[in-house]
């Protein structure tokens, strides 16, 4: 969507209004900004990571950005087009709680098997800690990724099968 187009077509706008929580004007503004940053209409992992780095200049967001990128990239073609971008943004910024939980679950369920294993959770939490660096002071029972994931699994893994559903 949006390749070499300076404006969304009426059909694209109608589709996005139906599938997001943004109105027509907001969609047009987001599209304009998206094309400014991504003139090709496609956002690749490298560029996505570069954008993340702007928000976390004191940490290393590369690994976390890759995990987020994979959730945004709905069709798994290695790039994010405007529709993928705006739909993910809509859910994360304005979606209902259930939609946000589903999106977050997809982020942590790295292999897509509908379970979050201890290892998957640890990989995401390690990426978050690496991204935030020493910016955040954590309590002693959460000051390492392993301690944080242990605590999460103690509280959430009710059947003690080392995976969350």
């Amino acid at each position: 969507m949006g390749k070499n187009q300076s404006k969304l077509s009426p059909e694209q706008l109608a589709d996005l209004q139906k599938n997001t929580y943004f109105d027509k004007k907001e969609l047009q503004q987001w599209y304009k900004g998206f094309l400014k940053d991504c003139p090709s209409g496609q956002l690749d992992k490298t560029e996505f990571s570069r954008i993340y780095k702007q928000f976390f200049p004191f940490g290393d967001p590369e690994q976390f950005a890759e995990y987020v990128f994979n959730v945004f990239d709905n069709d798994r073609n290695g790039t994010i087009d405007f529709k993928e971008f705006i739909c993910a943004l809509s859910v994360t910024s304005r979606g209902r709680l259930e939609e946000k939980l589903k999106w977050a679950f997809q982020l942590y369920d790295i292999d897509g098997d509908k379970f979050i294993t201890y290892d998957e959770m640890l990989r995401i939490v390690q990426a978050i800690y690496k991204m935030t660096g020493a910016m955040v002071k954590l309590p002693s029972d959460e000051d390492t990724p392993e301690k944080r994931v242990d605590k999460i699994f103690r509280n959430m893994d009710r059947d003690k099968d080392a995976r969350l559903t």
Side-chain angles (χ1 to χ4, degrees):
M1 170 174 284
K3 239 183 205 172
N4 302 322
Q5 268 180 257
S6 61
K7 286 188 175 185
L8 292 164
S9 71
E11 295 78 23
Q12 290 169 322
L13 263 175
D15 177 57
L16 292 174
Q17 283 178 274
K18 192 173 84 176
N19 292 299
T20 71
Y21 293 102
F22 295 111
D23 64 29
K24 181 179 176 179
K25 186 176 174 103
E26 290 171 319
L27 289 165
Q28 289 168 327
Q29 289 172 329
W30 275 110
Y31 187 65
K32 186 178 177 184
F34 185 84
L35 283 185
K36 183 174 178 262
D37 292 335
C38 309
S40 70
Q42 304 289 315
L43 182 57
D44 65 19
K45 272 187 185 174
T46 304
E47 185 62 16
F48 192 80
S49 185
R50 188 191 67 73
I51 291 167
Y52 251 80
K53 185 72 177 161
Q54 294 173 354
F55 294 102
F56 297 93
F58 303 110
D60 179 2
E62 193 167 332
Q63 187 61 63
F64 187 74
E66 184 173 323
Y67 292 134
V68 173
F69 181 93
N70 291 337
V71 181
F72 272 65
D73 183 17
N74 239 1
D75 62 8
R76 305 280 180 253
N77 71 348
T79 62
I80 298 170
D81 64 21
F82 181 70
K83 183 174 183 176
E84 290 170 318
F85 171 78
I86 203 69
C87 286
L89 187 65
S90 176
V91 167
T92 57
S93 67
R94 297 184 180 176
R96 296 183 316 273
L97 178 60
E98 187 177 311
E99 292 172 307
K100 290 178 180 183
L101 287 171
K102 182 181 176 203
W103 192 93
F105 192 93
Q106 288 178 295
L107 175 66
Y108 283 85
D109 181 19
I110 296 169
D111 65 8
D113 67 356
K114 307 289 187 243
F115 299 100
I116 300 172
T117 63
Y118 182 93
D119 182 59
E120 287 172 318
M121 175 78 68
L122 182 59
R123 288 164 59 189
I124 297 290
V125 173
Q126 285 171 330
I128 293 169
Y129 278 47
K130 195 173 175 183
M131 175 175 66
T132 57
M135 288 172 39
V136 181
K137 177 72 175 132
L138 297 165
S140 62
D141 66 339
E142 297 179 8
D143 62 3
T144 69
E146 292 78 11
K147 286 181 185 178
R148 178 71 177 141
V149 174
D150 286 346
K151 185 177 179 181
I152 291 168
F153 267 78
R154 267 195 316 276
N155 291 323
M156 295 182 74
D157 186 17
R158 301 267 186 235
D159 59 4
K160 305 295 183 222
D161 66 351
R163 61 188 195 175
L164 307 177
T165 54

